[in-house]
Amino acid sequence: MKVDEVIKKADEYISFLDGKIERLKAQERKDELLKRYNGEDKVVSWKELEEVVKNGKPIEKFKSGMEQFDNSLRGGIELGRLISFSASSKSGKTTFCIDLMRKYHDYNPCMIVLEQPAEELIREQLYYGNEIPLIYSPKTFNKVTIKWIEERIIESYLKYGTKVVVIDHLDFIDKNEKVNNKHLQIQEVMEELKLMTRRLNITIFLIVHINKLPPEEKPNYFHLAESSSTYKLSDITIMLWRESIKVGTNIEYSGLVNLSIELSRQGGSGDNIKLIFNKGQYREADTMEKVEADDRIKDLKAQQKKKYEV
């Protein structure tokens, strides 16, 4: 029995007693009981926890195979993390997550895709000529509650050994209608998801929309839509953005996609990894590709300046 259950039963007993003396005696018994409490959530010293850390198993980490990304996160993303992932509209959030789950195939990923059917995403991969990655998804859904999400995650874990999950996206999760404030509704959802990662020992990638931005402007965690709790309660916040510049009325792209680790509780905050997108898949850009992209942006800026001067 956990300590909160012990306290509840003791408090229920005390509430039935009449008279101050009886209640004081009962409170003393409760205090004595808690002194001897030895449940799994008992209070212990950090010295005791130090031994657990030193002698326990190493923390399991997901390696993506993208060297700079994994190194920034001290060897990969740790198991049991809540990750907010975002980008401007039509910037490839879902496609990136599919490719990342392809890289995490050893962890039998589950994608709870709510914005578009899984069949549509499969058709896109077939269009690119890619092999369909081993990903699991609910076949259909109606009311998307936190409870339903947890049940599907547990189902996927028991059937397939799932350890990493993508939820696409936050806006489709039913909010508590009893709470009138949208910020508090999202905070409640984020708290539930965070507790879920710890309770089930799984990592969740939560796709989150951002407020509307010009395509040439780099997004950051302040642009996450609706509530600051999305980044405050996440263990890692990641942004994807296509490197571009506005020339006149046109948007010109350098050819690189930037993967920015905005905030991270396991290191890497502020790191920016430059990627190349090709037919639905991403890889880290090599030195020459980075130089060529920088030169292209410089040329575009020069054109822009020349046009302005004229």
Side-chain angles (χ1 to χ4, degrees):
M1 185 179 292
K2 290 187 177 181
V3 68
D4 55 345
E5 295 169 343
V6 173
I7 292 172
K8 183 180 178 182
K9 287 186 178 297
D11 287 339
E12 286 174 353
Y13 172 70
I14 291 170
S15 67
F16 281 113
L17 296 175
D18 292 324
K20 185 176 181 180
I21 293 175
E22 287 84 355
R23 284 198 295 273
L24 285 172
K25 287 181 179 178
Q27 183 64 47
E28 287 172 1
R29 286 197 293 274
K30 173 183 168 183
D31 293 344
E32 187 59 35
L33 179 65
L34 290 176
K35 251 198 278 188
R36 300 196 304 271
Y37 178 70
N38 197 38
E40 64 181 26
D41 54 351
K42 65 182 178 181
V43 177
V44 297
S45 76
W46 276 31
K47 285 295 180 185
E48 187 176 334
L49 293 176
E50 180 185 9
E51 293 305 310
V52 174
V53 171
K54 285 181 177 178
N55 301 321
K57 293 192 300 183
I59 295 173
E60 188 171 356
K61 295 186 177 183
F62 304 118
K63 291 188 178 294
S64 69
M66 294 187 290
E67 187 177 355
Q68 188 182 346
F69 181 59
D70 291 338
N71 288 343
S72 292
L73 295 169
R74 298 174 185 170
I77 291 173
E78 294 177 2
L79 188 65
R81 295 289 186 175
L82 175 60
I83 300 160
S84 290
F85 177 72
S86 192
S88 299
S89 180
K90 307 301 180 184
S91 292
K93 296 185 290 295
T94 304
T95 302
F96 177 82
C97 282
I98 291 172
D99 190 49
L100 193 59
M101 294 308 106
R102 178 185 281 109
K103 294 173 172 63
Y104 290 155
H105 60 88
D106 287 345
Y107 305 101
N108 304 303
C110 175
M111 285 190 70
I112 300 176
V113 284
L114 306 173
E115 188 169 27
Q116 56 192 131
E119 291 85 352
E120 189 176 310
L121 300 174
I122 290 169
R123 278 194 290 272
E124 182 182 61
Q125 291 297 311
L126 291 173
Y127 170 78
Y128 285 128
N130 294 332
E131 182 179 349
I132 301 304
L134 186 61
I135 294 172
Y136 302 95
S137 290
K139 193 170 184 180
T140 187
F141 61 89
N142 290 312
K143 192 173 177 64
V144 183
T145 63
I146 285 290
K147 184 175 183 294
W148 179 85
I149 288 172
E150 183 167 9
E151 287 172 351
R152 297 292 69 74
I153 291 173
I154 292 171
E155 177 194 356
S156 192
Y157 170 77
L158 293 174
K159 284 181 177 177
Y160 311 114
T162 292
K163 289 186 178 180
V164 58
V165 176
V166 173
I167 301 173
D168 183 9
H169 57 80
L170 174 63
D171 289 355
F172 279 87
I173 300 174
D174 283 1
K175 314 299 188 298
N176 186 351
E177 294 179 358
K178 294 178 182 178
V179 178
N180 294 324
N181 186 293
K182 186 72 177 288
H183 294 277
L184 293 178
Q185 286 179 335
I186 292 175
Q187 180 177 321
E188 189 175 285
V189 169
M190 294 298 296
E191 287 170 351
E192 289 290 337
L193 290 173
K194 183 150 185 136
L195 289 171
M196 198 184 298
T197 62
R198 305 295 191 262
R199 188 164 57 245
L200 303 180
N201 197 29
I202 50 106
T203 289
I204 293 176
F205 284 82
L206 176 67
I207 295 181
V208 182
H209 281 175
I210 64 171
N211 297 315
K212 191 171 182 180
L213 283 175
E216 72 276 12
E217 185 174 337
K218 176 188 178 300
N220 61 52
Y221 64 92
F222 285 120
H223 295 124
L224 289 172
E226 305 295 352
S227 174
S228 61
S229 61
T230 49
Y231 67 81
K232 288 180 178 177
L233 289 170
S234 295
D235 296 298
I236 304 172
T237 300
I238 298 174
M239 293 282 186
L240 193 72
W241 56 287
R242 294 178 66 190
E243 199 172 85
S244 64
I245 185 173
K246 190 172 184 179
V247 180
T249 57
N250 298 323
I251 302 297
E252 301 286 348
Y253 295 93
S254 74
L256 294 183
V257 179
N258 290 269
L259 184 65
S260 175
I261 303 172
E262 293 291 305
L263 298 168
S264 172
R265 290 192 171 94
Q266 60 168 76
S269 294
D271 286 3
N272 187 69
I273 297 92
K274 294 183 180 295
L275 307 175
I276 294 289
F277 174 79
N278 183 39
K279 295 183 178 180
Q281 298 189 43
Y282 293 80
R283 62 172 175 80
E284 289 183 343
D286 61 32
T287 303
M288 183 56 67
E289 288 166 331
K290 292 175 186 176
V291 170
E292 288 174 351
D294 286 344
D295 288 345
R296 175 164 171 73
I297 289 293
K298 286 176 185 175
D299 288 344
L300 289 169
K301 284 182 177 178
Q303 289 177 32
Q304 185 184 45
K305 184 179 180 183
K306 187 177 180 180
K307 187 174 183 179
Y308 178 78
E309 287 173 347
V310 171

